[in-house]
Amino acid sequence: MEITWIGGSCFRFRGRDGALVTDPQTSGRTRKSAFPKADLVAITDHDLPPGAERLVLPNHAGRDPYVAAGPGEYDVSGVYLHGIAGPATPNGRRGPTLYALDIDRVTVALIPSLAAEMTNDMLEELGAAQILVVNADDGVERVVNLVNRIEPNIVVPYGQSANGRVPWIDAAKALSESEPDPETSVNITVSSLPEPVSTRVLAPRAA
C-alpha cells in the first residue's frame, strides 16, 4: 500500500486493486489533471462543502468513486472502510468521522482531529491499527498520548502550518527525538512493518 498526502486533510491510500481518497475538498487542487484517482472517497468533516466526487478521478475506467460520508461500513474494490462517529467538539458540535481502513492486509486508523479526547469505546470500535494517520493541530501531547494508546507500527502526523508553526513536524520530533526528512510517499507491506514504532513525515503533493 502507498500513502500520499495531497494537501489539507486529503490523502490517497492506494493498494493493488483499489484506492481511497479522503477529504478531496481540502486538497487545494483546482486543475483536473492534478485530481487524485480513487474507487472510494471518505469524508471526515460533515461541514465540508458537497461535491467531493467532482474532485476525484475514477481509478478504474467507467466506475465512478463511491463517496462515504459518515459512520458505516464500506467495501469497494478491495478497500474496506469502517467509519465511526468521533467525539463531539468542546463547544458541543458534532465531531468528525474517524475511519479504520484495510488495504492489502494493512490496517490504518485515520484520526482527523484531537480537539476532544477519544474514548476507549471508540478506540475499541476502530480496532488494532498498524498505521496511524493523525492530525497534529491540537497539540503534540495529544498525539503522543494517542500513539501510546493505539501502539501502531507507523505514525504519520499531518496538519496545517500557521504563523511559522508546523505541528506535524513538532509531533514527529517528539515521537522520534529527531526531525525526519519529508517523503513524497510511504510504501508499506505487512512484511515490512517496523518495530518499535516509526514516525514518517509526508510532503504534500499532487497525485
Side-chain angles (χ1 to χ4, degrees), residues 40 42-43 66 68-75 80-85 94 97-101 125-126:
L40 181 59
I43 306 301
Y66 182 86
E73 297 188 21
Y74 312 88
D75 193 346
Y80 172 75
L81 181 69
H82 179 199
I84 71 168
R94 176 183 168 190
T97 302
L98 316 175
Y99 286 103
L101 58 130
E125 188 172 356
L126 276 175

Side-chain angles (χ1 to χ4, degrees), residues 81-160:
L81 181 69
H82 179 199
I84 71 168
T89 62
N91 61 8
R93 294 178 59 224
R94 176 183 168 190
T97 302
L98 316 175
Y99 286 103
L101 58 130
D102 191 316
I103 303 178
D104 294 350
R105 297 186 299 119
V106 177
T107 57
V108 181
L110 175 64
I111 311 298
S113 173
L114 290 176
E117 186 175 357
M118 294 178 59
T119 66
N120 290 333
D121 287 344
M122 290 173 183
L123 292 180
E124 185 175 345
E125 188 172 356
L126 276 175
Q130 296 159 326
I131 301 168
L132 172 63
V133 179
V134 57
N135 190 327
D137 288 344
D138 293 303
V140 171
E141 289 185 7
R142 295 190 180 191
V143 173
V144 173
N145 179 58
L146 185 64
V147 169
N148 290 334
R149 294 173 71 190
I150 293 180
E151 297 183 335
N153 299 84
I154 296 173
V155 181
V156 182
Y158 72 98
Q160 299 286 341

Side-chain angles (χ1 to χ4, degrees), residues 155-174:
V155 181
V156 182
Y158 72 98
Q160 299 286 341
S161 58
N163 300 320
R165 176 174 172 263
V166 188
W168 66 95
I169 297 295
D170 294 339
K173 288 179 181 178

Side-chain angles (χ1 to χ4, degrees), residues 67 72 79 87-88 91 100 102 149 181 190 207:
V67 179
V79 178
N91 61 8
D102 191 316
R149 294 173 71 190
D181 293 326
V190 171

